[in-house]
Amino acid sequence: MAEQTRSTGGDVQDGQPALRRVMGPKLLLLFIVGDILGTGIYALTGQVAEEVGGAAWLPFLVAFAVAMVTAFSYLELVTKYPQAAGAALYTHKAFGVHFLTFMVTFVVMSSGITSASTASRAFASNLNEGFGLDLGNGGIVLIALGFMLLVAAVNFRGVGESVKLNVVLTIVELSGLLLVILIGIYAIAGGNADFSRVVAFDAPEDKGVFLAVTTATSLAFFAMVGFEDSVNMAEECREPRRIFPKIMITGLSITGVIYVLVAICSVALVPVGPLAASETPLVEVVRAGAPGIPADVVLPFISMFAVANSALINMLMASRLLYGMANQAVLPKALGRVHPFRRTPWVAIIFTTVISFGLITYVSLGGSDVVSVLGGTTSLLLLAVFTVVNVAVLVLRKDRVDADHFRAPPGLPIVGALACAYLVLPFSGRDAEQYQVAGILVVLGVLLWGLTVFLNRRLGVEKATLDPAKLE
């Protein structure tokens, strides 16, 4: 969710200059692809393979299908209401329940923190691998925490992601994945890979085929999140009603193809056991496919760059959402304080960083696979939001607007709502620890809401209402 800069001229909305419409089709496509690519595919390929064996490409394909169905719902809503604020706006328009709008907004914010925490652990693991430090879990945790401090410091200085920077970062992220694919194709063509593993389905003994696939899909979906952030750029796009449908579908399709190819190359070159045991699975892939070239030396640093970008974008989004909610008196006003010199929401930055510290430490000390738990929690939180968005499409079809807009095929939002809801529920085989982490964050949100109501009453503040259009 970009920090948005208002233009110095042009149209005026609510007494403020309208956002400058600078994004055309090409820049929007790069933004969508760059936002989706990142931590998920770099860090979770091994865990996905552990659930289904060599058919690791299948969960990524299913995750792509679920994301695409939900994208159709987002497209109907973003072309109908081409404004920033995304899921919070759609929830507010559909249901008009301020507490529900708040919880959707808080869950989106929490997903940014869990995603950044996942990225910090992946960053630490790749740094450990890249420099050959051979650190244990404790050392990797310290690096992850130090990395989050660095992200907070950059966030505090007020660095917002520009479109040009996003283009550069997208190219770097994409180069690492294309390197894996090219090395995989080279090894397969040269007979140095076991392609038979790609069709070998091997589910854990306690799970059937369907449950194993849905469990793996719950993890793989983390690699597909990001497309929904693009709707927050609607007010900065030229002709959003015209370009959004084609560009979002194209961007999702490109990343879906890349992910499936990476998964196929990974299991063809590295047995599932070593792949699942590694916190840097793609490094193992390039090492196996091209032992004569130092590709495995370069990839950890590309991976670090990719996940660092994911962490910064998500923490920027989380702190700004928290700041926006505090400014509307639906969270304690102290969280909305702005530093007098840096002009950044310093209390919100500290608060979100402390939460990320707690998440990283809590999961790490529990002896769990940190990337898997935090990445799975991110997908859990966002799938819950996507369920609400798919239902909101159906509710809002009675709301007519004076403009042509995209319309999702009949029945598709229902399919999307059911698919997302199923992947949220325990029946999908999701790890119980993901519910624990998500539950802690949801309870924190409810407590903050209750604390705010109490403080507002004591201070005589009027009843708070959440206006999604003013969150950023």
Side-chain angles (χ1 to χ4, degrees):
M1 185 175 298
E3 263 189 289
Q4 297 171 344
T5 306
R6 293 189 178 272
S7 66
T8 56
D11 297 334
V12 175
Q13 297 175 349
D14 298 327
Q16 295 290 330
L19 298 176
R20 184 182 293 124
R21 296 188 181 276
V22 297
M23 296 186 73
K26 293 180 181 178
L27 289 179
L28 180 60
L29 179 62
L30 284 167
F31 180 87
I32 292 173
V33 172
D35 214 8
I36 298 174
L37 295 178
T39 308
I41 190 66
Y42 277 100
L44 289 176
T45 305
Q47 281 72 26
V48 171
E50 187 175 24
E51 292 292 338
V52 294
W57 52 270
L58 181 58
F60 284 106
L61 188 60
V62 176
F64 162 74
V66 174
M68 183 64 80
V69 170
T70 300
F72 275 95
S73 292
Y74 268 96
L75 286 173
E76 177 166 334
L77 293 170
V78 74
T79 55
K80 194 174 185 178
Y81 312 107
Q83 301 166 283
L89 175 67
Y90 312 144
T91 303
H92 190 68
K93 283 185 174 292
F95 306 107
V97 179
H98 294 298
F99 179 71
L100 178 60
T101 303
F102 164 79
M103 286 308 302
V104 167
T105 308
F106 193 85
V107 166
V108 171
M109 184 211 73
S110 298
S111 73
I113 299 175
T114 55
S115 180
S117 300
T118 310
S120 73
R121 176 72 186 208
F123 177 92
S125 297
N126 278 284
L127 186 145
N128 182 49
E129 181 73 26
F131 287 103
L133 301 178
D134 197 25
L135 297 174
N137 181 58
I140 292 177
V141 170
L142 289 176
I143 292 176
L145 296 178
F147 171 72
M148 288 307 298
L149 275 178
L150 179 62
V151 169
V154 174
N155 197 351
F156 174 72
R157 285 188 59 83
V159 177
E161 68 274 24
S162 70
V163 174
K164 290 181 180 180
L165 179 59
N166 182 263
V167 171
V168 174
L169 296 175
T170 298
I171 292 172
V172 173
E173 292 170 349
L174 187 57
S175 68
L177 298 177
L178 292 179
L179 177 65
V180 174
I181 293 171
L182 291 174
I183 287 176
I185 293 174
Y186 173 78
I188 292 171
N192 298 320
D194 186 355
F195 202 72
S196 65
R197 283 200 294 261
V198 175
V199 293
F201 192 93
D202 185 19
E205 294 181 0
D206 60 337
K207 295 179 182 178
V209 172
F210 181 76
L211 185 58
V213 171
T214 57
T215 302
T217 300
S218 297
L219 281 175
F221 198 84
F222 176 57
M224 294 305 306
V225 301
F227 71 89
E228 75 284 354
D229 282 343
S230 64
V231 302
N232 296 292
M233 305 300 294
E235 292 184 52
E236 294 169 278
C237 289
R238 305 187 194 106
E239 301 180 275
R241 287 191 168 97
R242 184 180 66 82
I243 70 172
F244 246 93
K246 180 172 67 174
I247 299 304
M248 183 180 282
I249 291 171
T250 301
L252 266 171
S253 300
I254 289 171
T255 54
V257 170
I258 290 173
Y259 286 172
V260 169
L261 289 176
V262 168
I264 289 173
C265 293
S266 297
V267 295
L269 293 177
V270 181
V272 171
L275 196 67
S278 175
E279 288 198 60
T280 55
L282 298 191
V283 175
E284 302 299 327
V285 174
V286 297
R287 184 177 291 146
I293 60 175
D296 63 316
V297 176
V298 176
L299 191 63
F301 297 99
I302 294 177
S303 302
M304 287 165 57
F305 198 69
V307 300
N309 180 41
S310 297
L312 179 58
I313 288 175
N314 279 286
M315 291 304 282
L316 280 165
M317 178 273 288
S319 60
R320 270 57 178 182
L321 267 181
L322 196 71
Y323 160 78
M325 287 188 283
N327 269 352
Q328 295 185 62
V330 293
L331 282 180
K333 293 290 288 183
L335 293 172
R337 289 179 182 170
V338 176
H339 193 272
F341 301 114
R342 300 309 317 175
R343 303 299 295 273
T344 50
W346 66 277
V347 177
I349 292 170
I350 292 173
F351 188 80
T352 51
T353 302
V354 169
I355 293 176
S356 72
F357 270 38
L359 290 174
I360 295 167
T361 305
Y362 170 74
V363 178
S364 298
L365 295 180
S368 305
D369 187 317
V370 180
V371 171
S372 176
V373 172
L374 292 177
T377 302
T378 303
S379 70
L380 170 62
L381 293 170
L382 286 178
L383 282 164
V385 172
F386 293 166
T387 303
V388 175
V389 169
N390 279 304
V391 174
V393 172
L394 301 172
V395 174
L396 288 170
R397 284 194 167 163
K398 63 185 179 184
D399 183 27
R400 306 294 181 182
V401 296
D402 297 327
D404 292 333
H405 62 84
F406 182 88
R407 189 177 176 89
L412 210 57
I414 298 175
V415 173
L418 292 174
C420 292
Y422 176 79
L423 291 173
V424 168
L425 297 173
F427 312 120
S428 63
R430 189 179 289 276
D431 190 336
E433 195 165 359
Q434 296 172 23
Y435 292 104
Q436 294 174 12
V437 176
I440 291 170
L441 292 169
V442 170
V443 169
L444 176 62
V446 174
L447 290 176
L448 283 172
W449 172 273
L451 176 63
T452 307
V453 171
F454 173 75
L455 292 175
N456 286 348
R457 286 177 179 172
R458 290 202 60 179
L459 296 173
V461 178
E462 294 184 10
K463 183 179 179 181
T465 57
L466 185 61
D467 182 358
K470 297 179 181 178
L471 284 176
E472 297 179 305

